[in-house]
Amino acid sequence: MIHRLLDFLNASPVNFLAAKNICDELEKAGFCRLDPRRPLPAIKAGDKLYVTKNDSSVYAFHIGTTPLADAGFRMICAHCDSPTFRIKPNAEMLCEGGLVKLNTEVYGGPIMSTWFDRPLTIAGRVIVRGSDALNPQTLLLHVKRPLLQISNLAIHFNRQVNDGVALSKQKDVLPLLGIITNQLEAGNLLMNTICQQLGVKPADVLDFDLYLADATPSCTFGVHDEFISSGRLDDLSMCFAGLEAMLAAPTTEATKVLAIFDNEETGSQTKQGAGSPFLASMLKRIALAQSGSEEAFYQAVERGFMISADNAHAWHPNYNEKYDPTNHPVLGGGPVIKFNAAQKYASDAASAAVFAELCREAGVPCQRFVNHSDVAGGSTLGNILAGSIPLRGVDMGNAILAMHSCRETGSVADHDYCVKVFTHFFS
C-alpha cells in the first residue's frame, strides 16, 4: 500500500497533476465524468460519477441504494494544494555571466529555508490557443528531471546564518534556471523548455500556471522503514487515503462523496476551494436528478457526516515545549482528531465520538490534538465547507513532522490506519 502512495506523490508535484491522477484512478474504477454544463442524467443506485472544477479540484459520488433523504451523505474531503513557489509572468531575469534566474512568488506558507540547495523542477498547466478565445486548450506539464535550484549564500558572507536569517520573498528565494549560451536563448530559456516538453510552438502558448516542486523522489526511511519522507504529504496523503477508500468500498445504503478541494493553503475562497458553493450545487443537482426534489438534499445533509481530512502536527522530540502537555499525537499512533476552542476545527464532542468509534470498529488507534494554549493554530476545510453544507463533521488527519517544509515526515503505519478507517466509514 505504501508504494502506491509514494508513486502517487511522485506523480503529483502540483494540484493539477494530483487532480488528473485522481481522475485517472476513478475512470479505471468505472466512475463516469459529469459535464456540469449539461443537465445531469437520471441517477440510480450504484452509479459512480465524478466532476472537476478548474482542472484542480475533484468531486466523486458513489450513489447509495437508499434515497438520499433517508440515508444521507458520507463525505471525506481533503485538499490537493501545498505551499510552494509560483512562477510569475515574464519570469526570466538575466544576470551577470549569462546566469538566468526566475522571478517567483510564494504560494501558501512554506518553510522557505527548506527549499534551498536541493534539485527542483517545474510542474503545472500551460494554456495554449484553442478553437476560439473563450475555449483555449489546457496542457499539463511535469518536467521529470532536476531543472532549477535555489542556492544559499555562503556562510563566509553571512556568519549569522545559523542564528536565524530573515528571508526576502522577492530576493532570496529566486531559483537558477541556466546559463545563456547564445543570443537566441536570451529571454527564451523557460519558454523553450515548456515548448520542448509539450511539443507546441511558442506563439501558441497563451499563459501558464507553473510552480516549483522538489525533484527528489519520495521514500521511506528509518531502521524499519517506518517513516515517509516526501513533499506534499500535507495534504496529498489524505487525498490518496480517501481515494483508496472510495475505490475499495462497495455500494451501500448511503451515498458516498469524495471531495478534493484546491487552494486550502490560501484560504479556500475560490471557485475550486472549500469556500465555493460548487459542491453544494452539485449535490443538490444529484438529489434532484435522483428524487425529483431538491428537498432531498437538505434532508440528506441532516442525516450525513463529513470527515475533513487534513494532516495534524506530530509531537517533535526536539521541541516538547511547543505542544499541549496532554494532547500531543505521535507518529505511528493512529489518526488524529483535532479540537480548537475558537472553532477553527469542525470537531466537537459529538462528532469526535463518531470518528473515535469508527476507529475502534476498524481496529485502528485514535489520537487527539489540541494546540498549546500559548501557540496560535491554523484552520482547515471543515468549518469552511460547513458554510455551504452544514454537515455534522470532524476535522482529523495523520500526524506529520515539518508541516509545510519542502520535505515532510509521516508514518507508514498511520497511512495504513487511515485507509482502514476511511474504508470502514464508506462500507
Side-chain angles (χ1 to χ4, degrees):
M1 179 184 294
I2 199 62
H3 294 294
R4 293 197 300 272
L5 172 63
L6 297 180
D7 289 344
F8 175 73
L9 291 166
N10 291 333
S12 307
V14 293
N15 49 356
F16 302 109
L17 274 298
K20 175 191 181 297
N21 293 328
I22 290 168
C23 290
D24 288 348
E25 292 301 315
L26 291 170
E27 291 270 358
K28 290 177 187 177
F31 282 73
C32 297
R33 185 167 189 154
L34 296 173
D35 185 346
R37 298 171 298 180
R38 301 182 181 279
L40 297 192
I43 290 176
K44 62 184 184 302
D47 281 352
K48 297 179 178 181
L49 312 165
Y50 79 95
V51 65
T52 66
K53 189 70 172 176
N54 193 48
D55 304 318
S56 63
S57 62
V58 184
Y59 312 89
F61 314 96
H62 188 171
I63 307 302
T65 58
T66 301
L68 282 172
D70 298 323
F73 301 114
R74 293 196 179 188
M75 182 186 298
I76 295 173
C77 57
H79 67 90
C80 61
D81 64 319
S82 300
T84 180
F85 297 84
R86 185 180 190 275
I87 299 174
K88 291 182 180 180
N90 307 309
E92 290 188 34
M93 303 172 72
L94 182 60
C95 309
E96 286 190 42
L99 287 173
V100 175
K101 62 183 180 181
L102 291 185
N103 193 10
T104 63
E105 60 180 326
V106 172
Y107 176 88
I111 304 176
M112 294 193 296
S113 62
T114 63
W115 287 75
F116 283 74
D117 303 321
R118 65 171 67 239
L120 304 174
T121 189
I122 60 174
R125 67 177 177 180
V126 177
I127 311 301
V128 300
R129 189 166 283 108
S131 57
D132 59 71
L134 288 178
N135 294 283
Q137 184 182 2
T138 298
L139 302 176
L140 298 184
L141 176 68
H142 180 192
V143 179
K144 296 181 180 180
R145 68 177 180 89
L147 188 66
L148 313 101
Q149 183 166 293
I150 304 170
S151 292
N152 255 304
L153 182 65
I155 193 171
H156 309 78
F157 302 129
N158 187 2
R159 297 289 183 179
Q160 289 75 44
V161 65
N162 291 323
D163 298 326
V165 173
L167 296 173
S168 165
K169 297 176 182 178
Q170 184 58 67
K171 176 181 178 293
D172 296 319
V173 290
L174 304 186
L176 284 172
L177 177 63
I179 300 176
I180 295 291
T181 57
N182 65 66
Q183 289 304 310
L184 294 177
E185 289 183 324
N188 295 310
L189 281 186
L190 178 61
M191 185 58 67
N192 288 346
T193 300
I194 292 170
C195 292
Q196 289 168 7
Q197 290 285 316
L198 298 177
V200 299
K201 299 176 181 178
D204 290 332
V205 175
L206 302 177
D207 215 324
F208 55 72
D209 292 313
L210 294 177
Y211 299 85
L212 305 190
D214 185 9
T216 305
S218 305
C219 66
T220 57
F221 72 98
V223 171
H224 308 291
D225 276 324
E226 60 266 58
F227 303 117
I228 306 168
S229 173
S230 176
R232 307 174 304 284
L233 286 176
D234 176 28
D235 192 35
L236 290 187
S237 61
M238 294 292 96
C239 294
F240 193 69
L243 175 65
E244 293 262 87
M246 180 64 108
L247 298 182
T251 301
T252 58
E253 291 185 357
T255 290
K256 294 178 280 291
V257 181
L258 176 66
I260 307 298
F261 296 104
D262 192 11
N263 303 133
E264 190 274 344
E265 300 294 356
T266 56
S268 296
Q269 301 303 315
T270 61
K271 60 187 177 296
Q272 59 273 3
S276 167
F278 180 76
L279 177 57
S281 69
M282 286 303 305
L283 291 173
K284 288 177 185 177
R285 293 171 68 180
I286 288 172
L288 188 61
Q290 185 193 55
S291 68
S293 170
E294 190 177 294
E295 174 65 22
F297 163 76
Y298 298 104
Q299 294 181 45
V301 168
E302 295 305 312
R303 295 181 184 274
F305 193 84
M306 168 193 64
I307 296 175
S308 167
D310 195 1
N311 280 313
H313 297 293
W315 177 78
H316 195 306
N318 295 345
Y319 301 97
N320 183 60
E321 71 279 4
K322 295 294 185 180
Y323 296 84
D324 182 77
T326 61
N327 296 280
H328 45 266
V330 296
L331 291 170
V336 179
I337 302 171
K338 301 191 287 189
F339 295 90
N340 184 270
Q343 305 301 304
K344 296 290 184 68
Y345 300 131
S347 310
D348 56 24
S351 62
V354 170
F355 185 77
E357 187 67 4
L358 289 169
C359 289
R360 187 193 66 80
E361 291 175 352
V364 168
C366 182
Q367 306 182 86
R368 285 162 171 78
F369 171 82
V370 184
N371 279 305
H372 187 292
S373 296
D374 294 329
V375 177
S379 60
T380 185
L381 300 167
N383 277 349
I384 296 171
L385 183 60
S388 59
I389 310 176
L391 287 159
R392 283 190 305 156
V394 63
D395 271 306
M396 56 72 63
N398 278 345
I400 64 171
L401 293 172
M403 187 179 290
H404 290 196
S405 171
C406 187
R407 199 90 179 176
E408 298 164 327
T409 295
S411 161
V412 170
D414 285 340
H415 182 68
D416 182 57
Y417 290 145
C418 197
V419 173
K420 282 183 179 179
V421 71
F422 283 2
T423 303
H424 178 62
F425 173 63
F426 272 163
S427 297

